[in-house]
Amino acid sequence: MNRIFAAFILIAFATGAGRELSGTTGVMTAMSQAVIDASRAAVELALGLVGVMAFFLGLMKIAEQGGLLTATARLIAPLMRRLFPEVPPQHPAMGAMIMNFSANLLGLGNAATPFGIRAMQELDRLNPHPGVATDAMVRLLAINTSGLALLPTGVIALRAAAGSIEPAAILPTTLFATTCATLVAIFLTPLLARFYPAPRPTPPVVTYSSEAHVCEETPPLAPLPRWVGWTVALAFVALIAASVRHGQIVSAWIVPTLVVGFIVYGLARGVAVYESFVDGAKEGFQVALRIIPYLVAILAATALLRASGALPFFVSLLAPITGPLGLPAEVLPMAILRPLSGSGAFALLADLLKDPNVGPDSYAGWLASTIQGSTETTFYVLAVYFGAVGIKKMRHAIAAGLAADLAGVIAAVFICSWLYPGAA
């Protein structure tokens, strides 16, 4: 990350200085203003997350004390053991990661981030090298940066506002692209880990008995009966199907139902829900403060690239190459900006869909919507998740995240070109 951050700054300065010295006035002024605006936006973004993180971390505390995280870990224990063999099956990190994945699948970005931060904090408890990302941390982050969404509600709403005939018709293309990106993230992370020094294996979780004065290994929790897993899986599939068919109605019910479900579960398990909620919510403000420096660094460097003209220049070089491959010039800037700035990419998508020469139902509109809905802002996720636990050495996290982004873009181009060949 040190080299990437320095490269962003140096490339931006060299490009801006070259343009300014060649006669394009105002470039350095624009870069100065961009750094100030980006730094301010980073702090505002972090503070804006305080309330959301406090709320959902409070709910997570109730779930943790009520045993819900352990129960959810048991629910899909075989799958999670294969994805995260370094994490003990009964560890709270398993349940937190499942919550994070579920929220992402349903398009609940506001809930997914606090759940992901909680999962990262639990994984950090198993970290034998504080400040260095473990294999499990990198894999969690790569899966998050791959998109992992079945319901891109924000993109669908934007398409509807732009006058699309079928706003939700991007669901199959988005599902295909995000599935490809997620599979690449899962299979590529262990391969990339070989080129980076890995931490020592996680020691087994032990419990200490004061009476016997011995330590014994905690036995892993047995998975729940298969019928329980199938019942939950079918309920989840039914929820997704209902969301696709009645998206606006179902999506409005998801968060309130989730909140009530956590509270009712806590009460049924005898948890002091108010005290637990407050204890968990206290972490929200502390996490927001910890991630501010990381956000400032990432957003400022990205803003410099854009203001200097380096990013548009890079786009102009690639456009003649990507156009014949199915990635038109009007979509390319958004595809490149997506891993760097989520808000910037969203703004470009909005402008593209409102452009009368493009529109939401053209090939470019379909492709841009699919890319936005099936990829994630890699550097933002890196800053928030790793910043929450003070990770400075990210190992292969950036390479895995960018590879997943690239796979998502390639898959989006392939599926959109195949389903809508007449528009390409």
Side-chain angles (χ1 to χ4, degrees):
M1 190 61 191
N2 293 325
R3 296 177 180 177
I4 292 178
F5 177 72
F8 282 3
I9 301 296
L10 295 176
I11 292 173
F13 179 80
T15 305
R19 294 181 62 201
E20 187 81 24
L21 294 175
S22 64
T24 305
T25 59
V27 178
M28 301 305 288
T29 301
M31 291 175 62
S32 301
Q33 188 62 42
V35 169
I36 296 173
D37 292 342
S39 300
R40 183 185 303 114
V43 176
E44 293 174 352
L45 177 62
L47 294 180
L49 289 173
V50 171
V52 176
M53 287 194 294
F55 183 78
F56 282 102
L57 288 178
L59 291 179
M60 282 290 290
K61 196 63 159 181
I62 296 175
E64 179 183 348
Q65 295 192 353
L68 182 60
L69 298 186
T70 301
T72 52
R74 292 178 62 193
L75 188 63
I76 56 174
L79 174 62
M80 294 301 290
R81 286 173 186 169
R82 286 175 172 81
L83 284 178
F84 299 93
E86 313 91 342
V87 183
Q90 71 274 28
H91 198 273
M94 285 292 197
M97 287 189 289
I98 294 172
M99 296 289 187
N100 170 251
F101 297 157
S102 300
N104 273 319
L105 287 172
L106 294 174
L108 304 177
N110 289 337
T113 299
F115 290 157
I117 289 175
R118 182 65 179 185
M120 196 65 71
Q121 290 173 332
E122 294 295 341
L123 290 176
D124 196 48
R125 299 178 188 276
L126 301 173
N127 190 355
H129 301 281
V132 180
T134 64
D135 289 345
M137 288 180 173
V138 173
R139 195 172 299 112
L140 170 63
L141 188 136
I143 293 175
N144 273 269
T145 59
S146 68
L148 192 67
L150 298 180
L151 297 173
T153 53
V155 178
I156 292 175
L158 187 61
R159 289 175 53 81
S164 174
I165 299 175
E166 295 181 274
I170 63 165
L171 286 174
T173 56
T174 299
L175 178 60
F176 178 83
T178 192
T179 300
C180 291
T182 302
L183 290 176
V184 167
I186 291 174
F187 289 108
L188 192 61
T189 46
L191 298 179
L192 290 174
R194 299 179 181 178
F195 300 96
Y196 296 82
R200 292 191 302 268
T202 302
V205 177
V206 296
T207 55
Y208 180 74
S209 173
S210 59
E211 295 181 359
H213 298 285
V214 295
C215 290
E216 55 185 12
E217 185 175 349
T218 303
L221 295 178
L224 294 175
R226 289 188 176 182
W227 67 268
V228 176
W230 280 109
T231 301
V232 175
L234 291 175
F236 192 77
V237 171
L239 176 60
I240 294 173
S243 300
V244 172
R245 186 174 180 83
H246 308 286
Q248 295 182 346
I249 298 175
V250 174
S251 61
W253 279 77
I254 291 177
V255 172
T257 303
L258 183 69
V259 174
V260 172
F262 274 60
I263 298 298
V264 171
Y265 180 85
L267 291 173
R269 298 286 293 179
V271 177
V273 292
Y274 178 75
E275 288 83 355
S276 298
F277 181 91
V278 171
D279 289 340
K282 291 178 182 178
E283 300 178 16
F285 185 74
Q286 299 171 0
V287 170
L289 290 180
R290 284 199 296 268
I291 66 176
I292 286 178
Y294 299 87
L295 283 179
V296 169
I298 292 300
L299 296 186
T302 303
L304 280 176
L305 280 178
R306 297 176 61 186
S308 67
L311 190 60
F313 176 72
F314 184 64
V315 169
S316 66
L317 293 178
L318 290 180
I321 302 174
T322 61
L325 298 177
L327 185 59
E330 55 265 36
V331 181
L332 182 58
M334 199 207 78
I336 295 177
L337 188 61
R338 184 70 174 108
L340 301 174
S341 172
S343 59
F346 195 81
L348 288 179
L349 175 63
D351 292 339
L352 189 66
L353 297 183
K354 293 177 182 178
D355 187 343
N357 297 321
V358 181
D361 295 320
S362 66
Y363 172 76
W366 281 95
L367 178 59
S369 301
T370 301
I371 292 174
Q372 179 71 24
S374 60
T375 56
E376 189 52 85
T377 313
T378 297
F379 286 94
Y380 169 80
V381 176
L382 281 166
V384 172
Y385 281 36
F386 281 165
V389 292
I391 296 295
K392 296 181 176 62
K393 295 184 179 180
M394 302 181 183
R395 301 178 61 221
H396 53 299
I398 296 177
L402 293 179
D405 290 335
L406 179 61
V409 172
I410 294 174
V413 171
F414 170 79
I415 193 65
C416 288
S417 300
W418 182 46
L419 293 181
Y420 311 104

